[in-house]
Amino acid sequence: MLQDKLPGKVFAPGSSSFQSDLSTYYSAQESALISACRVSPSCAQDVSDAVAILTRKGCKFAVRSGGHMVWSGAANIDQNGITIDMLDMNSVTVSEDKTVAHVEPGTRLGKVYDTLDSLGLNVVSGRSITVGTGGFMIGGACLYYSLLFLLTCWVIGGISNMSPRQGFGNQNIVGYQVVLSNGTIVETTSVDYPDLFFALHAASTNFGVVTRYDLKTFPFTEYWGGLRLFNVSQAPALINGTISYMDKLQGDPSGLSTLTLGYNGTAGADIALQNFAYLGADGSNADIFSDLLSLPFNPSLNTVRGNIHQQSLYAEIDAAFGFGQRTLFSTFTFKADPQFPLDFHAQAQKAFTPFANTSIFWAINFQPLGIPVLNKAPSNLNPQGITDKNGNLFCESLRFNFGHDVDTYSIIP
């Protein structure tokens, strides 16, 4: 029935299109799942037709945007279901007044930035060129704690280098085109279907299949930034420097700097990596990073430079974290305390010591959520209850990549 309704857009296992799509998932766990077939819609009506048929027949299905989520089953399904693959829905257009970018969910962020750069525009979006728009805007998340160390909810629609100025990605979505479970296509905004609009800001993929994101645009700005490698013994100074950066954001919310501590098993080396991004071409005013920039670094990796487009920064980050490997990650958020990150890192070192001579690569990324980021949450569209009353926060992401020389269940019992 799907083949009859969507000729040339339904692919069986073993076909070249099916195999090609499988190879573009970020994690090996996702690409290992073989669904009964894959549907590749090219427009919202195709999605509507597919969803209507699948729900009417009671079929299980998964939806894939860019395929960057690592969990098995996040954007794919086994032989008991069907995968709707949105990669062919990858257009980027802008409104006549250039205030809104219309982005389809399968568009990888690199294409979004390339297209908008040529128009002198930008949007609040992810720090990767390979992540899909849908995954970042409605699936990208960190755990948010409104009380110190007390879990309350998810932050959906994630962190951007523009977040200190403009907030999280989902706070800059002005509309969605959505296919509901019965195949109906609706346009939702804060005025039209406002309950659905509110829910999509918080509920990930539970209320429909988003077929277009309408994103608020901002003027294009060249960046200054890059990566610097440090000795892991400098971790206390790097954490203190990152907290100092957050304190300075209220005077100049023009940049983001994240810290990664970890270990590369293949190289047998500890990692202490600081990532800088500043919305100012030459970085001459990047005083918010002064405490970090004053620290001695390892010259073997120092890519900090000016007059660049953000895609150059994000390509470096993508290259640092391998594609197509077995990967796991977890995330939570805590008050920006200088000691807790060190304690967490020490516990991770202890936990991963048995794998020191394997292919494992593990990293803890400390993403700063300064008060300027937190107070951007609008009072009428804040389903997570984000507040700045507890001061600066760290959103922590622990991730690890590993080969077949490491048993998954020896890491996660």
Side-chain angles (χ1 to χ4, degrees):
M1 186 175 290
L2 278 173
Q3 189 70 266
D4 293 337
K5 192 68 174 178
L6 300 168
K9 298 179 181 180
V10 181
F11 304 101
S15 67
S16 58
S17 294
F18 189 102
Q19 296 306 124
S20 176
D21 287 346
L22 273 186
S23 69
T24 58
Y25 279 99
Y26 179 72
S27 78
Q29 299 101 298
E30 282 281 75
S31 60
L33 294 176
I34 307 297
S35 57
C37 68
R38 299 182 72 84
V39 180
S40 296
S42 58
C43 64
Q45 187 59 53
D46 288 348
V47 178
S48 171
D49 292 339
V51 169
I53 292 170
L54 293 172
T55 54
R56 189 166 63 246
K57 296 295 184 180
C59 298
K60 295 180 178 180
F61 64 93
V63 180
R64 178 262 181 93
S65 171
H68 205 271
M69 185 57 74
V70 303
W71 306 318
S72 179
N76 200 5
I77 197 168
D78 60 18
Q79 61 186 356
N80 295 313
I82 290 169
T83 301
I84 300 175
D85 193 321
M86 310 289 272
L87 280 183
D88 286 347
M89 294 184 64
N90 56 25
S91 72
V92 182
T93 59
V94 298
S95 61
E96 280 192 30
D97 62 4
K98 295 187 177 182
T99 61
V100 177
H102 307 292
V103 184
E104 291 187 320
T107 316
R108 297 192 187 276
L109 298 183
K111 180 178 179 179
V112 175
Y113 296 136
D114 288 343
T115 303
L116 295 181
D117 278 4
S118 65
L119 300 172
L121 301 173
N122 198 1
V123 290
V124 179
S125 197
R127 292 157 294 159
S128 167
I129 58 174
T130 59
V131 168
T133 299
F136 177 81
M137 289 296 172
I138 205 169
C142 65
L143 290 175
Y144 174 75
Y145 292 64
S146 67
L147 298 175
L148 180 59
F149 303 121
L150 180 63
L151 169 64
T152 58
C153 57
W154 290 88
V155 172
I156 303 292
I159 304 168
S160 164
N161 284 331
M162 293 175 66
S163 290
R165 282 187 180 179
Q166 310 297 348
F168 294 110
N170 70 342
Q171 294 166 355
N172 291 276
I173 300 173
V174 297
Y176 304 87
Q177 183 185 73
V178 188
V179 174
L180 304 182
S181 61
N182 63 0
T184 302
I185 302 172
V186 300
E187 303 277 347
T188 176
T189 67
S190 59
V191 175
D192 299 312
Y193 299 94
D195 289 348
L196 179 58
F197 185 73
F198 182 90
L200 289 170
H201 277 63
S204 192
T205 55
N206 293 323
F207 286 95
V209 180
V210 180
T211 50
R212 193 191 69 239
Y213 295 85
D214 298 333
L215 309 178
K216 192 184 304 181
T217 61
F218 300 92
F220 167 79
T221 304
E222 285 194 322
Y223 276 76
W224 169 95
L227 302 174
R228 275 190 180 173
L229 183 66
F230 296 83
N231 189 290
V232 75
S233 65
Q234 293 176 281
L238 291 167
I239 291 166
N240 283 322
T242 304
I243 292 174
S244 172
Y245 143 74
M246 281 193 276
D247 290 336
K248 296 174 183 177
L249 272 178
Q250 295 189 66
D252 180 14
S254 299
L256 187 70
S257 183
T258 63
L259 169 63
T260 300
L261 301 176
Y263 180 81
N264 185 333
T266 302
D270 289 311
I271 300 165
L273 191 67
Q274 196 82 30
N275 178 41
F276 299 94
Y278 187 78
L279 282 75
D282 62 6
S284 59
N285 296 318
D287 295 333
I288 52 174
F289 304 135
S290 58
D291 290 353
L292 292 165
L293 295 174
S294 67
L295 297 174
F297 57 89
N298 186 334
S300 67
L301 177 57
N302 174 35
T303 66
V304 175
R305 71 273 191 206
N307 301 292
I308 55 173
H309 289 210
Q310 58 191 326
Q311 297 92 305
S312 298
L313 296 177
Y314 306 155
E316 292 178 353
I317 297 173
D318 288 340
F321 297 98
F323 191 95
Q325 300 177 319
R326 292 195 293 166
T327 305
L328 294 170
F329 80 86
S330 62
T331 179
F332 69 100
T333 303
F334 55 91
K335 191 172 177 66
D337 172 82
Q339 186 57 45
F340 184 76
L342 297 175
D343 294 341
F344 190 88
H345 177 240
Q347 288 299 313
Q349 287 180 311
K350 182 179 178 180
F352 285 108
T353 293
F355 309 99
N357 297 313
T358 70
S359 62
I360 201 163
F361 173 98
W362 64 267
I364 309 168
N365 183 243
F366 298 99
Q367 304 184 78
L369 301 179
I371 288 175
V373 180
L374 301 172
N375 66 20
K376 293 294 187 300
S379 58
N380 65 334
L381 192 62
N382 186 16
Q384 297 89 4
I386 297 171
T387 174
D388 62 3
K389 68 181 181 181
N390 291 310
N392 297 325
L393 304 174
F394 274 123
C395 176
E396 172 276 333
S397 173
L398 169 63
R399 59 167 300 148
F400 38 101
N401 301 351
F402 49 99
H404 290 284
D405 58 330
V406 178
D407 178 13
T408 304
Y409 294 100
S410 65
I411 303 174
I412 305 294

